[in-house]
Amino acid sequence: MTFEQVVETHGVRLRPFRAEDIPDVVDGLADPISQRFMTGLPSPYTEVDARWWIDAGAPAAWTGGGAAYAVADPATDGLLGTVGLSNPVPARGQAEIGYWVRPAARGRGVATAATRALAEHAFAAGTARLELLTDAENGPSQRVALAAGFRYEGSRRSAGSARDGGRNDLLTWVRLADDPPGPAARLLPDLPDGVLTDQVVALRRLAPGDAELMHRLHSRPEVVANQAPPVPPTREAIERRCRLAESGWLTGEIARLLITDVASGEPVGSCGLSYTDVAGGEASVGYALLPDWRGRGYATRAVRLLAAWAFGAAGVARLAAGTVPDNIASHRVLERVGFHSEGLQRGRLPGLDGTRLDDLTFALLPTDLR
């Protein structure tokens, strides 16, 4: 593959690195976010490290069949970040694309523009498939992948090395040469202005700061009893669930939401939606409330808001909900929203010590929603 030395498109300039870029390289790679999500970086990152990259690291990428471009502002030619290709597999027409952006340039679409520019240039040069790997907790990088037209393909187990010496999974995003231009489609779109509300309750995406509340809620005996299997989650598991909430949303795995009281801003509980049959357009919902907020119609309002969004923006055709047969309060919530009981599935869910639990299932169609 033959690459141009300078590529200028989508509002960015891709060019070779120069010695005067050293301070800006340090600015980008000494940053805490870069240090957290980019493996193999020296810490602290110094001018010596930046000079090595410009004199040896970037040239090695080119001689190895990849690419290492400085991403520059076309107006000033000042360094904004970098984008490059690594791990080329010529027999497959495949390479891996990566980037970083200086702190002051983030949030301006620079990474997306640079990724699109290099992807298009690589495809024009004969590349057939590009992979982009992200840390599961790096939501901004996953949004770049989607905006640049990369589709989520799955998780690559233990593909990344952590700073503590351990291994971590990486999410794989892929774009093919013949994929349509523009952002990749998502199963779970963002909420309008980040929230769903009926002016009494509000739903927003779960966040890392919600871990203490979520652990308190989902450790309650009556909430655990309605899970399968009925085992209380660990604090560590809840913290990770909250840290991965954005990733779950972006990959289309699950939409996890916090329910709040609009008048006070106090948290009320949580709810969620996940696809059970993507091709068939079916998803399932679940919910739980803190004791002080039960009996006020908050669960009904939350499920109604979630269902309306699912049938509208998310394009779901059918919603299902599974309940423990004796959870009458949950049955009433579903019925008030418009769900219909569809029958008891005996032994469908795992219980404790090898036992099985029955599941009373409900379903909602768009025309049923009250």
Side-chain angles (χ1 to χ4, degrees), residues 240-259:
R240 181 166 175 77
R241 180 185 300 178
C242 292
R243 293 197 307 270
L244 295 180
E246 183 174 17
S247 178
W249 206 296
L250 296 175
T251 60
E253 177 187 0
I254 186 169
R256 299 188 188 275
L257 303 103
L258 188 76
I259 309 170

PDB file of all heavy atoms in Angstrom, residues 240-259:
ATOM      1  N   ARG A 240     -18.369  -1.813  38.547  1.00  0.00           N
ATOM      2  CA  ARG A 240     -18.027  -2.069  37.138  1.00  0.00           C
ATOM      3  C   ARG A 240     -19.258  -1.887  36.251  1.00  0.00           C
ATOM      4  O   ARG A 240     -19.159  -1.344  35.146  1.00  0.00           O
ATOM      5  CB  ARG A 240     -17.455  -3.479  36.987  1.00  0.00           C
ATOM      6  CG  ARG A 240     -17.057  -3.801  35.550  1.00  0.00           C
ATOM      7  CD  ARG A 240     -16.190  -5.032  35.466  1.00  0.00           C
ATOM      8  NE  ARG A 240     -15.915  -5.408  34.081  1.00  0.00           N
ATOM      9  CZ  ARG A 240     -15.032  -4.805  33.298  1.00  0.00           C
ATOM     10  NH1 ARG A 240     -14.336  -3.788  33.756  1.00  0.00           N
ATOM     11  NH2 ARG A 240     -14.841  -5.211  32.056  1.00  0.00           N
ATOM     12  N   ARG A 241     -20.411  -2.318  36.716  1.00  0.00           N
ATOM     13  CA  ARG A 241     -21.650  -2.135  35.950  1.00  0.00           C
ATOM     14  C   ARG A 241     -21.881  -0.656  35.665  1.00  0.00           C
ATOM     15  O   ARG A 241     -22.257  -0.293  34.547  1.00  0.00           O
ATOM     16  CB  ARG A 241     -22.834  -2.712  36.731  1.00  0.00           C
ATOM     17  CG  ARG A 241     -24.165  -2.586  36.021  1.00  0.00           C
ATOM     18  CD  ARG A 241     -25.310  -3.063  36.896  1.00  0.00           C
ATOM     19  NE  ARG A 241     -25.158  -4.454  37.288  1.00  0.00           N
ATOM     20  CZ  ARG A 241     -26.015  -5.095  38.097  1.00  0.00           C
ATOM     21  NH1 ARG A 241     -27.054  -4.438  38.608  1.00  0.00           N
ATOM     22  NH2 ARG A 241     -25.833  -6.359  38.400  1.00  0.00           N
ATOM     23  N   CYS A 242     -21.643   0.185  36.652  1.00  0.00           N
ATOM     24  CA  CYS A 242     -21.850   1.627  36.468  1.00  0.00           C
ATOM     25  C   CYS A 242     -20.796   2.230  35.543  1.00  0.00           C
ATOM     26  O   CYS A 242     -21.105   3.099  34.721  1.00  0.00           O
ATOM     27  CB  CYS A 242     -21.843   2.333  37.822  1.00  0.00           C
ATOM     28  SG  CYS A 242     -23.261   1.929  38.872  1.00  0.00           S
ATOM     29  N   ARG A 243     -19.542   1.772  35.661  1.00  0.00           N
ATOM     30  CA  ARG A 243     -18.492   2.288  34.784  1.00  0.00           C
ATOM     31  C   ARG A 243     -18.719   1.888  33.333  1.00  0.00           C
ATOM     32  O   ARG A 243     -18.319   2.606  32.416  1.00  0.00           O
ATOM     33  CB  ARG A 243     -17.113   1.786  35.238  1.00  0.00           C
ATOM     34  CG  ARG A 243     -16.638   2.314  36.563  1.00  0.00           C
ATOM     35  CD  ARG A 243     -15.130   2.113  36.730  1.00  0.00           C
ATOM     36  NE  ARG A 243     -14.720   0.744  36.517  1.00  0.00           N
ATOM     37  CZ  ARG A 243     -14.646  -0.183  37.467  1.00  0.00           C
ATOM     38  NH1 ARG A 243     -14.979   0.130  38.716  1.00  0.00           N
ATOM     39  NH2 ARG A 243     -14.244  -1.416  37.175  1.00  0.00           N
ATOM     40  N   LEU A 244     -19.360   0.740  33.119  1.00  0.00           N
ATOM     41  CA  LEU A 244     -19.572   0.233  31.766  1.00  0.00           C
ATOM     42  C   LEU A 244     -20.944   0.594  31.203  1.00  0.00           C
ATOM     43  O   LEU A 244     -21.309   0.115  30.121  1.00  0.00           O
ATOM     44  CB  LEU A 244     -19.402  -1.292  31.743  1.00  0.00           C
ATOM     45  CG  LEU A 244     -18.008  -1.822  32.064  1.00  0.00           C
ATOM     46  CD1 LEU A 244     -17.993  -3.341  32.009  1.00  0.00           C
ATOM     47  CD2 LEU A 244     -16.971  -1.246  31.107  1.00  0.00           C
ATOM     48  N   ALA A 245     -21.696   1.432  31.915  1.00  0.00           N
ATOM     49  CA  ALA A 245     -23.054   1.748  31.458  1.00  0.00           C
ATOM     50  C   ALA A 245     -23.048   2.405  30.082  1.00  0.00           C
ATOM     51  O   ALA A 245     -23.866   2.069  29.222  1.00  0.00           O
ATOM     52  CB  ALA A 245     -23.752   2.639  32.481  1.00  0.00           C
ATOM     53  N   GLU A 246     -22.131   3.343  29.854  1.00  0.00           N
ATOM     54  CA  GLU A 246     -22.100   3.987  28.542  1.00  0.00           C
ATOM     55  C   GLU A 246     -21.693   3.000  27.464  1.00  0.00           C
ATOM     56  O   GLU A 246     -22.272   2.978  26.369  1.00  0.00           O
ATOM     57  CB  GLU A 246     -21.165   5.192  28.528  1.00  0.00           C
ATOM     58  CG  GLU A 246     -21.180   5.904  27.181  1.00  0.00           C
ATOM     59  CD  GLU A 246     -20.389   7.191  27.150  1.00  0.00           C
ATOM     60  OE1 GLU A 246     -19.546   7.406  28.048  1.00  0.00           O
ATOM     61  OE2 GLU A 246     -20.607   7.974  26.216  1.00  0.00           O
ATOM     62  N   SER A 247     -20.723   2.154  27.753  1.00  0.00           N
ATOM     63  CA  SER A 247     -20.282   1.170  26.777  1.00  0.00           C
ATOM     64  C   SER A 247     -21.410   0.215  26.415  1.00  0.00           C
ATOM     65  O   SER A 247     -21.614  -0.124  25.244  1.00  0.00           O
ATOM     66  CB  SER A 247     -19.087   0.383  27.323  1.00  0.00           C
ATOM     67  OG  SER A 247     -18.671  -0.594  26.408  1.00  0.00           O
ATOM     68  N   GLY A 248     -22.172  -0.230  27.420  1.00  0.00           N
ATOM     69  CA  GLY A 248     -23.294  -1.123  27.157  1.00  0.00           C
ATOM     70  C   GLY A 248     -24.307  -0.488  26.230  1.00  0.00           C
ATOM     71  O   GLY A 248     -24.905  -1.152  25.372  1.00  0.00           O
ATOM     72  N   TRP A 249     -24.488   0.811  26.405  1.00  0.00           N
ATOM     73  CA  TRP A 249     -25.415   1.555  25.560  1.00  0.00           C
ATOM     74  C   TRP A 249     -24.876   1.648  24.122  1.00  0.00           C
ATOM     75  O   TRP A 249     -25.600   1.409  23.160  1.00  0.00           O
ATOM     76  CB  TRP A 249     -25.596   2.954  26.148  1.00  0.00           C
ATOM     77  CG  TRP A 249     -26.902   3.602  25.809  1.00  0.00           C
ATOM     78  CD1 TRP A 249     -27.344   3.965  24.579  1.00  0.00           C
ATOM     79  CD2 TRP A 249     -27.941   3.957  26.717  1.00  0.00           C
ATOM     80  NE1 TRP A 249     -28.582   4.537  24.662  1.00  0.00           N
ATOM     81  CE2 TRP A 249     -28.982   4.551  25.957  1.00  0.00           C
ATOM     82  CE3 TRP A 249     -28.091   3.863  28.097  1.00  0.00           C
ATOM     83  CZ2 TRP A 249     -30.153   5.039  26.539  1.00  0.00           C
ATOM     84  CZ3 TRP A 249     -29.259   4.333  28.676  1.00  0.00           C
ATOM     85  CH2 TRP A 249     -30.272   4.913  27.909  1.00  0.00           C
ATOM     86  N   LEU A 250     -23.600   1.986  23.982  1.00  0.00           N
ATOM     87  CA  LEU A 250     -23.015   2.202  22.657  1.00  0.00           C
ATOM     88  C   LEU A 250     -22.880   0.906  21.862  1.00  0.00           C
ATOM     89  O   LEU A 250     -23.025   0.904  20.641  1.00  0.00           O
ATOM     90  CB  LEU A 250     -21.654   2.884  22.792  1.00  0.00           C
ATOM     91  CG  LEU A 250     -21.685   4.294  23.396  1.00  0.00           C
ATOM     92  CD1 LEU A 250     -20.270   4.816  23.600  1.00  0.00           C
ATOM     93  CD2 LEU A 250     -22.480   5.252  22.516  1.00  0.00           C
ATOM     94  N   THR A 251     -22.596  -0.198  22.541  1.00  0.00           N
ATOM     95  CA  THR A 251     -22.469  -1.472  21.842  1.00  0.00           C
ATOM     96  C   THR A 251     -23.833  -2.085  21.538  1.00  0.00           C
ATOM     97  O   THR A 251     -23.922  -3.053  20.775  1.00  0.00           O
ATOM     98  CB  THR A 251     -21.655  -2.481  22.665  1.00  0.00           C
ATOM     99  OG1 THR A 251     -22.316  -2.711  23.922  1.00  0.00           O
ATOM    100  CG2 THR A 251     -20.240  -1.977  22.908  1.00  0.00           C
ATOM    101  N   GLY A 252     -24.900  -1.544  22.136  1.00  0.00           N
ATOM    102  CA  GLY A 252     -26.234  -2.087  21.931  1.00  0.00           C
ATOM    103  C   GLY A 252     -26.566  -3.239  22.853  1.00  0.00           C
ATOM    104  O   GLY A 252     -27.596  -3.901  22.680  1.00  0.00           O
ATOM    105  N   GLU A 253     -25.714  -3.489  23.859  1.00  0.00           N
ATOM    106  CA  GLU A 253     -25.940  -4.624  24.759  1.00  0.00           C
ATOM    107  C   GLU A 253     -27.090  -4.349  25.717  1.00  0.00           C
ATOM    108  O   GLU A 253     -28.009  -5.171  25.872  1.00  0.00           O
ATOM    109  CB  GLU A 253     -24.665  -4.922  25.545  1.00  0.00           C
ATOM    110  CG  GLU A 253     -24.828  -6.029  26.558  1.00  0.00           C
ATOM    111  CD  GLU A 253     -23.608  -6.200  27.444  1.00  0.00           C
ATOM    112  OE1 GLU A 253     -22.635  -5.445  27.268  1.00  0.00           O
ATOM    113  OE2 GLU A 253     -23.644  -7.081  28.311  1.00  0.00           O
ATOM    114  N   ILE A 254     -27.069  -3.208  26.406  1.00  0.00           N
ATOM    115  CA  ILE A 254     -28.096  -2.910  27.395  1.00  0.00           C
ATOM    116  C   ILE A 254     -28.126  -1.415  27.687  1.00  0.00           C
ATOM    117  O   ILE A 254     -27.081  -0.753  27.698  1.00  0.00           O
ATOM    118  CB  ILE A 254     -27.850  -3.705  28.706  1.00  0.00           C
ATOM    119  CG1 ILE A 254     -29.014  -3.512  29.682  1.00  0.00           C
ATOM    120  CG2 ILE A 254     -26.509  -3.327  29.340  1.00  0.00           C
ATOM    121  CD1 ILE A 254     -28.966  -4.465  30.865  1.00  0.00           C
ATOM    122  N   ALA A 255     -29.326  -0.893  27.899  1.00  0.00           N
ATOM    123  CA  ALA A 255     -29.502   0.496  28.337  1.00  0.00           C
ATOM    124  C   ALA A 255     -29.834   0.465  29.822  1.00  0.00           C
ATOM    125  O   ALA A 255     -30.910  -0.010  30.208  1.00  0.00           O
ATOM    126  CB  ALA A 255     -30.629   1.168  27.549  1.00  0.00           C
ATOM    127  N   ARG A 256     -28.927   0.920  30.655  1.00  0.00           N
ATOM    128  CA  ARG A 256     -29.148   0.971  32.102  1.00  0.00           C
ATOM    129  C   ARG A 256     -29.447   2.419  32.495  1.00  0.00           C
ATOM    130  O   ARG A 256     -28.688   3.321  32.133  1.00  0.00           O
ATOM    131  CB  ARG A 256     -27.912   0.477  32.865  1.00  0.00           C
ATOM    132  CG  ARG A 256     -27.536  -0.972  32.572  1.00  0.00           C
ATOM    133  CD  ARG A 256     -26.420  -1.416  33.510  1.00  0.00           C
ATOM    134  NE  ARG A 256     -25.881  -2.714  33.175  1.00  0.00           N
ATOM    135  CZ  ARG A 256     -26.398  -3.875  33.590  1.00  0.00           C
ATOM    136  NH1 ARG A 256     -27.484  -3.867  34.355  1.00  0.00           N
ATOM    137  NH2 ARG A 256     -25.840  -5.021  33.239  1.00  0.00           N
ATOM    138  N   LEU A 257     -30.527   2.615  33.262  1.00  0.00           N
ATOM    139  CA  LEU A 257     -30.956   3.970  33.599  1.00  0.00           C
ATOM    140  C   LEU A 257     -31.221   4.114  35.085  1.00  0.00           C
ATOM    141  O   LEU A 257     -31.653   3.169  35.764  1.00  0.00           O
ATOM    142  CB  LEU A 257     -32.235   4.331  32.840  1.00  0.00           C
ATOM    143  CG  LEU A 257     -32.185   4.247  31.322  1.00  0.00           C
ATOM    144  CD1 LEU A 257     -32.893   2.988  30.849  1.00  0.00           C
ATOM    145  CD2 LEU A 257     -32.823   5.464  30.688  1.00  0.00           C
ATOM    146  N   LEU A 258     -30.975   5.323  35.570  1.00  0.00           N
ATOM    147  CA  LEU A 258     -31.338   5.694  36.931  1.00  0.00           C
ATOM    148  C   LEU A 258     -32.677   6.421  36.876  1.00  0.00           C
ATOM    149  O   LEU A 258     -32.909   7.261  36.004  1.00  0.00           O
ATOM    150  CB  LEU A 258     -30.275   6.616  37.542  1.00  0.00           C
ATOM    151  CG  LEU A 258     -30.454   6.913  39.035  1.00  0.00           C
ATOM    152  CD1 LEU A 258     -30.026   5.698  39.862  1.00  0.00           C
ATOM    153  CD2 LEU A 258     -29.647   8.138  39.452  1.00  0.00           C
ATOM    154  N   ILE A 259     -33.567   6.098  37.807  1.00  0.00           N
ATOM    155  CA  ILE A 259     -34.861   6.769  37.919  1.00  0.00           C
ATOM    156  C   ILE A 259     -34.749   7.807  39.029  1.00  0.00           C
ATOM    157  O   ILE A 259     -34.316   7.494  40.145  1.00  0.00           O
ATOM    158  CB  ILE A 259     -35.984   5.777  38.266  1.00  0.00           C
ATOM    159  CG1 ILE A 259     -35.970   4.580  37.321  1.00  0.00           C
ATOM    160  CG2 ILE A 259     -37.338   6.474  38.248  1.00  0.00           C
ATOM    161  CD1 ILE A 259     -36.903   3.449  37.759  1.00  0.00           C
TER     162      ILE A 259
END
